[in-house]
Amino acid sequence: MYDFAADLTDCANEVEGGLARLLQLERLSGPGAAPERLVAAMRHGALAGGKRLRPLLVRQAAAIFGVKPEASLPAGLAVECVHCYSLIHDDLPAMDDDDLRRGRPTVHRAYDEATAILAGDALLTHAFGLLADPACHPDPAVRTQLIIELVAGSGVGGMAGGQMRDLEGERGGFADGDIAAMQAMKTGALIRAAVRIGALLGGADDAALGKLTTYAEAAGRAFQLADDILDVTATPETLGKATGKDAGKNKATLVASLGLEAAKRHLGETVYEALAALSSFGPEADGLRATARYFASRDS
Ligand code: IPE
Ligand code: IPE
Ligand code: MG
Ligand code: MG
Ligand code: MG
């Protein structure tokens, strides 16, 4: 029987340990020595906290094809580095201007804005080094595919572009379709990349990859919808970040456009879509099924 709570906890512990090992002064030094303050800021942004859901998706998608958790960990760490970078930059005064993240001061509050920008840059760059490393997968052709996936997920047609649209949305005038497109990019694209990277690590064929991509796109929509609902319904204590921020910044969200109750109904339907995409898989996809359900039921 698949145990979601155990999978979630094991994955979080392994990601924490893996990042703590990787993000060390000696390991990060290149042609020059890594500056201590920058490494400390990277560690502040990447360690101690976070649900580690993107590495969990890598691990669960890879597990469908029999890949062991330890073999999918390096790719999961790469995706988490990009995620942590995105949070550091998302919190900057020029973007969402937040002081609290994962129950602690944001990186620019704990250090300063310039250091936070550079810590994000360094985590982003580091991610691609992890995917290019033979420890990630023995076959260089597979490693190249993984890199291409992470570029698509994090770049201008993915997360970075979605963050741009999110800021444009603050000025108003977004229809529901624009909101959905923006969210598919700012949040969905990296979740999609996490699932596809896991599948590619396992050598998925095109048919399986297609179904898992449909799953990931629905799961990504559910994830951001839940994030927007929690911004209205949760407390900063449980969430570890400020609440009520989206309305305060006039963010274009489906909660604002549909209302809270309709948004909750839509969340249920979206999780159902994610589950339906997995219908041809057996118990080997129970991890992904449980994670999609968790996306809608989580309270942090
Ligand atoms: C928050 O992501 C940012 C969004 C994409 C909505 P998570 O809720 O996964 O944040 P952590 O990593 O658990 O802190
Ligand atoms: C963040 O969306 C998306 C990315 C970081 C790419 P939000 O701005 O809603 O995330 P939170 O609520 O600050 O975690
Ligand atoms: Mg934001
Ligand atoms: Mg934000
Ligand atoms: Mg949010």
Side-chain angles (χ1 to χ4, degrees), residues 11-45:
C11 180
N13 289 337
E14 281 155 30
V15 169
E16 184 71 25
L19 290 175
R21 267 192 314 279
L22 289 171
L23 302 179
Q24 294 197 64
L25 208 65
E26 316 73 58
R27 293 189 77 138
L28 293 170
S29 293
E36 240 172 87
R37 181 176 170 82
L38 187 54
V39 175
M42 290 166 77
R43 292 178 71 89
H44 184 99

Side-chain angles (χ1 to χ4, degrees), residues 90 96 163 166 186 251:
D90 181 73
D96 292 352
Q163 289 285 71
D166 174 275
K186 79 165 181 172
K251 290 284 189 193

